[in-house]
Amino acid sequence: MQPQTDVFGLHNYINSSIPSPYPINGQNPNPFYGFQSATHIPQSMSLSSNSTSDEAEEHQTDKNIINERKQRRMISNRESARRSRMRKQRHLDELWSQVMWFRVENHQLLDKLNNLSESHEKVLQENVQLKEETSELKQVISDMKIQSPFSCFRDDIIPIE
């Protein structure tokens, strides 16, 4: 069981041990009460209350400056990011333009290659045909020499190559 505490008694005890700044029955029990406020408050405390408000103002001003700088930096970063996105988009557009140009160029080169391949095949076929004709003509000439009654067409006089 807890001991009962007289709350009012404790309150009276605390109040009686601390001198009141207010007079009792119109009089202050401490004759030096007017001097007490100056002696009890250290000089650093009285200065610190003024300096505290100055420091608070400085601190608030510093916070405002820091917030302004953050705000400017944030705006600057956003603008920089926007410019970066625009550069990236321009670069991407340029790359797509190059892709399209290369596709057209590739298509044209493939057409040209196909045409050249066809021409090459035709030339090869024509070359084979000409070689066959040459061979046939040589055979005809050779046959003519052998069968010719004239001696000027014979192999022993004029070689045929």
Side-chain angles (χ1 to χ4, degrees), residues 54-90:
D54 290 344
E55 287 175 5
E57 287 176 17
E58 276 185 41
H59 184 66
Q60 187 63 32
T61 304
D62 290 346
K63 275 187 173 181
N64 288 343
I65 290 171
I66 289 170
N67 286 339
E68 286 176 18
R69 286 180 184 165
K70 283 182 182 178
Q71 188 72 19
R72 277 185 272 153
R73 190 168 45 247
M74 187 174 63
I75 291 169
S76 175
N77 287 346
R78 284 181 181 167
E79 186 63 25
S80 178
R82 186 185 67 79
R83 287 190 308 266
S84 178
R85 286 190 302 272
M86 288 176 64
R87 271 194 312 272
K88 185 177 178 181
Q89 186 63 46
R90 277 195 307 267

Side-chain angles (χ1 to χ4, degrees), residues 5 9 15 54 102 120:
T5 313
N15 285 339
D54 290 344
F102 284 133
H120 182 256

Side-chain angles (χ1 to χ4, degrees), residues 88-101:
K88 185 177 178 181
Q89 186 63 46
R90 277 195 307 267
H91 184 66
L92 188 62
D93 291 344
E94 184 178 316
L95 289 175
W96 271 112
S97 176
Q98 286 180 356
V99 165
M100 297 308 293
W101 185 85

Side-chain angles (χ1 to χ4, degrees), residues 99-154:
V99 165
M100 297 308 293
W101 185 85
F102 284 133
R103 283 182 178 171
V104 168
E105 181 74 12
N106 191 29
H107 182 70
Q108 291 173 350
L109 289 173
L110 283 173
D111 286 345
K112 192 174 183 178
L113 178 64
N114 288 335
N115 290 336
L116 288 173
S117 293
E118 288 175 11
S119 296
H120 182 256
E121 283 296 319
K122 287 180 183 177
V123 167
L124 286 177
Q125 288 175 359
E126 188 178 345
N127 194 14
V128 167
Q129 192 177 22
L130 288 173
K131 284 182 180 181
E132 287 176 1
E133 285 181 25
T134 302
S135 178
E136 288 174 6
L137 287 174
K138 282 183 181 181
Q139 186 63 40
V140 168
I141 290 175
S142 176
D143 289 345
M144 285 175 57
K145 285 183 187 178
I146 295 173
Q147 296 174 1
S148 169
F150 303 106
S151 61
C152 66
F153 291 115
R154 294 178 57 161

